[in-house]
Amino acid sequence: MAPFLGQLSTSLLAGRDSQKELREQYSSDSSIEFAIWKLQNDQTYRDSVDVAPGTPITVAPAVTVNGITTTTSSTAIPIGTWTAMANHPAGVGTGAALAWDGGDYIYALTGDTTTGFRRYSISGNSWTSLTNTPATVGAGGSLVFVGPDNLYALRGNNQSAFWRYSISGNSWTSRANTPASVRWGGSLAYLSGDFIYALRGQNLRNFWRYSISGNSWTSLSDTPATVRLGGALAFAGADSIYAFRGNSSTAFWLYSLAGNSWSSKAVSMATVDDGGALAFTGSDHVFAFRGNTTTTVWRYQVSRDLWIPVATAPASIDAGGAMVYAGGNTIYAFRGSGQQSFWRFTITPPEFDLTSTAGDFTIDARIRINGSAISVLIWDIN
């Protein structure tokens, strides 16, 4: 009887341990599912996770299943990947700018008080020199594509020159000068139709509209405060233009075309200065360089009025930093800072690392949330 009772006791203990492990696994599974639900449905929790990539944010309240209380956290992974593309043929500095033509080409002002003007082929990953600008481009230089054949440019450099470039003719034409000289923080924005919008910069508040058909400028409502180094514009819908103030501030504004009025939006996560830039991706997001000799890159979500850090740039961004959306999930960018670096940023869906511990049982998972679709990339049981 002794050997039999000993074996029975061992079996009972093993069975009890197995049931305990199953309860812990079930509890941990449930907690992971709850964390996913929180990320999808609890906006306050999602915001706290998104704004602190790399930091585990505890799910609250803790889940208790089968009498076992779990500890669960979510960690955001910075979205996006950076790839070095063919270097620009010359160093890029203050006043550098980029504009996409909607097809294979990105056009670029070199800035840095030079006349350099070039075209980048996306498919060929190569640069071609074009006819130089009529005069040197410096601080406040900016460039926009106005299809199908033209680009418009601010000279900046404390000048009022404004030019049109013909793609088919590879030639520049002077247009009506801006109402006053443009310098640090000068920027252009164009979406469609007859009007181009411009910040003067220069540590002033002037904001103007240019009529393409009338070749004339109109003064609009001044910005809420003076704009300087790092000032930038980006269209984000038919009625909305977003703007960085720059000037070592965190100010971020929305301009309503219909109301000819400015309003303040969520301030950036740190001060923006030389090299600050904006690029609207045509959906719900505006991407941004902080500049200021940092590698910081953010994504602003329009619907949430929220700034979210994304994958840091490969090197620090300074004077001449610029970015342009080029369709799909790609943004191209200059580093500036007198360097030749030219990068591609590939936008990726948000991903999160989830960890749940119940007793001695832990599950580590990585998920991707793309709209309403959820993909499980890793599921590791410890």
Side-chain angles (χ1 to χ4, degrees):
M1 289 294 293
F4 170 73
L5 292 174
Q7 181 179 2
L8 180 61
S9 176
T10 301
S11 298
L12 289 172
L13 289 171
R16 186 170 62 188
D17 288 345
S18 177
Q19 288 180 358
K20 177 177 177 291
E21 183 176 322
L22 286 173
R23 288 197 305 272
E24 290 175 348
Q25 180 176 350
Y26 183 82
S27 299
S28 193
D29 281 338
S30 299
S31 295
I32 291 288
E33 291 179 15
F34 182 55
I36 294 172
W37 183 92
K38 291 274 283 187
L39 289 170
Q40 284 187 294
N41 298 284
D42 185 336
Q43 197 61 66
T44 300
Y45 179 71
R46 175 67 178 269
D47 290 351
S48 69
V49 175
D50 278 344
V51 301
T55 301
I57 305 299
T58 301
V59 174
V63 176
T64 300
V65 181
N66 293 330
I68 301 170
T69 300
T70 62
T71 301
T72 309
S73 65
S74 306
T75 305
I77 300 169
I79 74 162
T81 57
W82 290 93
T83 305
M85 309 308 290
N87 278 350
H88 185 262
V92 171
T94 302
L98 297 168
W100 177 51
D101 71 354
D104 188 48
Y105 297 116
I106 295 171
Y107 293 82
L109 296 173
T110 305
D112 209 22
T113 323
T114 72
T115 58
F117 182 61
R118 295 178 177 85
R119 182 183 72 190
Y120 173 79
S121 167
I122 295 171
S123 62
N125 186 29
S126 59
W127 290 94
T128 301
S129 293
L130 302 172
T131 299
N132 286 345
T133 55
T136 57
V137 174
S142 191
L143 187 69
V144 290
F145 173 70
V146 178
D149 188 53
N150 297 315
L151 294 100
Y152 284 78
L154 289 175
R155 178 186 177 186
N157 208 24
N158 202 25
Q159 304 294 319
S160 57
F162 184 61
W163 306 313
R164 180 180 67 197
Y165 175 79
S166 167
I167 295 173
S168 60
N170 186 25
S171 59
W172 292 92
T173 305
S174 292
R175 306 306 290 160
N177 284 353
T178 54
S181 59
V182 174
R183 207 174 182 187
W184 309 293
S187 184
L188 295 174
Y190 177 77
L191 180 65
S192 61
D194 189 47
F195 298 118
I196 299 171
Y197 294 81
L199 288 174
R200 179 184 180 185
Q202 189 86 306
N203 205 25
L204 296 165
R205 297 174 56 199
N206 303 96
F207 183 60
W208 305 315
R209 184 182 70 191
Y210 173 77
S211 167
I212 297 169
S213 61
N215 186 30
S216 60
W217 291 91
T218 302
S219 292
L220 301 173
S221 293
D222 286 348
T223 55
T226 57
V227 175
R228 200 167 180 267
L229 298 171
L233 292 175
F235 254 104
D239 184 56
S240 302
I241 299 176
Y242 284 90
F244 268 153
R245 177 190 179 190
N247 206 20
S248 294
S249 77
T250 57
F252 183 61
W253 304 317
L254 170 66
Y255 175 77
S256 165
L257 278 65
N260 184 26
S261 59
W262 293 91
S263 58
S264 294
K265 306 303 289 182
V267 297
S268 57
M269 304 181 80
T271 56
V272 174
D273 210 273
D274 222 353
L278 297 170
F280 178 58
T281 60
S283 55
D284 191 32
H285 298 113
V286 180
F287 284 78
F289 278 153
R290 177 190 176 190
N292 208 19
T293 322
T294 72
T295 59
T296 303
V297 188
W298 299 309
R299 180 184 67 174
Y300 173 78
Q301 190 161 355
V302 174
S303 60
R304 294 159 71 186
D305 188 27
L306 182 72
W307 289 97
I308 301 168
V310 302
T312 56
S316 59
I317 311 298
D318 203 1
M323 56 169 52
V324 64
Y325 176 61
N329 62 346
T330 58
I331 292 171
Y332 287 81
F334 275 150
R335 175 188 179 186
S337 197
Q339 305 298 312
Q340 297 173 253
S341 304
F342 184 64
W343 305 316
R344 182 183 67 207
F345 180 74
T346 303
I347 305 165
T348 56
E351 294 182 359
F352 303 89
D353 282 335
L354 311 179
T355 298
S356 179
T357 299
D360 297 326
F361 198 90
T362 297
I363 293 178
D364 294 314
R366 176 169 293 180
I367 65 167
R368 175 181 295 155
I369 299 179
N370 192 1
S372 60
I374 299 174
S375 304
V376 177
L377 307 179
I378 298 172
W379 194 273
D380 186 19
I381 299 174
N382 300 307

